[in-house]
Amino acid sequence: MKNCKRLILSILFLMCMGWLPLVNGQELKEAVLPEKDASQFVNITDVVPDVILEIRYFGTYNFVGKRIAGYLQPTALLTKRAADSLRAVSDDVMKMGYRLKIYDAYRPQMAVDHFVRWASDIPDTLMRRYFYPEVDKSLLFVQDYIAAKSGHTRGSTVDLTLFDMTTEKEVDMGGTFDWFGVESHPDFGGNPETGKYTGKASPAGRTITEEQFRNRMILRAAMMRHGFKPIDSEWWHFTLKDEPFPSTYFEFPVKEL
């Protein structure tokens, strides 16, 4: 009886982690193990030599406050198809006086698992004032800031911003990468479909300027012109529409290939 209870609890845990999803609400399908083959990936800098890398999860300035599991070198990887499309984006924004600056690209499953463990450790709020001062850490799963699966792990998603070659500074987007809050949403301060600025404030009373909203739209438009799609919650996050591995999650570490 005790062994049976343990089995049921184990299955429920795996379901919550996304490793044993339900099929038709009843049957359990076999867990999909993360793929370890990196042969279809490239170093982004080999394909897009003009990018700037600031790999946040290799360092300690991130929402966890520690180097994240699986980041062995401060480099960035993508599938070959996604990297080729990103090269087109880079060529595009270079004509406007910008370079691309990358915070994260391919993310191994072990890193996502690290995020899940951290989010479950409620007392660990080392970096709260920098990234989630108005969000109760116990709600990070409920509000979808942390999940057991990430599009990054499929290898065709990138987190990035613009770098101004004239000022030699990051373009002011009115908010930091990985900020947990409505201020990170692409529609904060305006309508991303029309490009119209509204200046609407967040519940905390924060706003962004018209220039900051316009800067977000420059990045968004360039990415979308070359086959990347945005998401509703992060202005910096884009996934290749025709990603080559839409249902494969990879596990190999981030290091030079």
Side-chain angles (χ1 to χ4, degrees), residues 13 23 25 31 50-51 97 105 126 128 150 162 166 169 209 229-230 232 235:
F13 174 77
V23 177
D50 296 309
V51 297
L126 176 64
R128 180 172 185 174
S150 169
L162 296 173
T166 301
K169 295 179 180 179
T209 66
K229 59 184 179 182
D232 295 336
W235 58 259

Side-chain angles (χ1 to χ4, degrees), residues 45 48-55 99-103 163:
T45 50
V48 195
D50 296 309
V51 297
I52 299 169
L53 301 183
E54 185 183 331
I55 308 305
R99 293 171 68 182
L100 299 178
K101 184 173 185 178
I102 295 176
Y103 298 121
F163 182 90

Side-chain angles (χ1 to χ4, degrees), residues 14 56 76 116 126 153 170 203 235 244 248 251 256-257:
L14 290 171
R56 291 284 184 89
V116 170
L126 176 64
T153 311
E170 276 189 30
W235 58 259
T248 304
E251 180 72 345
E256 292 284 338
L257 297 177

Side-chain angles (χ1 to χ4, degrees), residues 59-109:
T60 58
Y61 183 58
N62 56 61
F63 61 85
V64 175
K66 298 178 182 178
R67 181 181 297 178
I68 305 304
Y71 286 80
L72 304 186
Q73 292 179 324
T75 192
L77 312 176
L78 277 178
T79 61
K80 294 175 181 178
R81 187 183 300 174
D84 287 341
S85 295
L86 194 66
R87 173 61 186 264
V89 178
S90 177
D91 291 345
D92 195 348
V93 299
M94 287 278 286
K95 296 174 185 176
M96 295 184 277
Y98 302 113
R99 293 171 68 182
L100 299 178
K101 184 173 185 178
I102 295 176
Y103 298 121
D104 193 34
Y106 160 69
R107 182 184 305 164
Q109 184 61 45

Side-chain angles (χ1 to χ4, degrees), residues 141-257:
F141 283 113
V142 176
Q143 297 183 7
D144 292 329
Y145 290 112
I146 301 293
K149 293 292 184 182
S150 169
H152 282 273
T153 311
R154 302 193 300 265
S156 296
T157 294
V158 60
D159 293 335
L160 76 174
T161 189
L162 296 173
F163 182 90
D164 191 314
M165 291 190 289
T166 301
T167 63
E168 297 185 348
K169 295 179 180 179
E170 276 189 30
V171 171
D172 185 359
M173 298 294 190
T176 187
F177 164 67
D178 263 354
W179 176 268
F180 295 171
V182 296
E183 296 87 355
S184 294
H185 295 185
D187 64 355
F188 178 65
N191 185 334
E193 301 303 320
T194 64
K196 183 178 180 180
Y197 174 73
T198 62
K200 185 178 180 180
S202 71
R206 279 189 290 271
T207 60
I208 58 174
T209 66
E210 185 171 3
E211 181 179 8
Q212 290 166 338
F213 178 75
R214 181 179 64 83
N215 290 339
R216 293 184 181 193
M217 295 302 103
I218 292 173
L219 174 64
R220 180 186 178 95
M223 295 296 286
M224 293 179 69
R225 275 196 299 273
H226 298 287
F228 289 89
K229 59 184 179 182
I231 60 173
D232 295 336
S233 56
E234 299 171 346
W235 58 259
W236 57 80
H237 177 115
F238 298 88
T239 298
L240 189 68
K241 285 182 180 179
D242 62 339
E243 58 181 315
F245 303 106
S247 59
T248 304
Y249 292 85
F250 292 85
E251 180 72 345
F252 59 88
V254 175
K255 62 179 181 179
E256 292 284 338
L257 297 177

Side-chain angles (χ1 to χ4, degrees), residues 24-52:
N24 297 325
Q26 294 181 352
E27 299 179 19
L28 291 172
K29 72 177 182 180
E30 185 178 352
V32 178
L33 297 178
E35 176 60 57
K36 297 182 181 296
D37 179 16
S39 62
Q40 298 303 308
F41 285 70
V42 294
N43 304 310
I44 291 179
T45 50
D46 289 344
V47 180
V48 195
D50 296 309
V51 297
I52 299 169

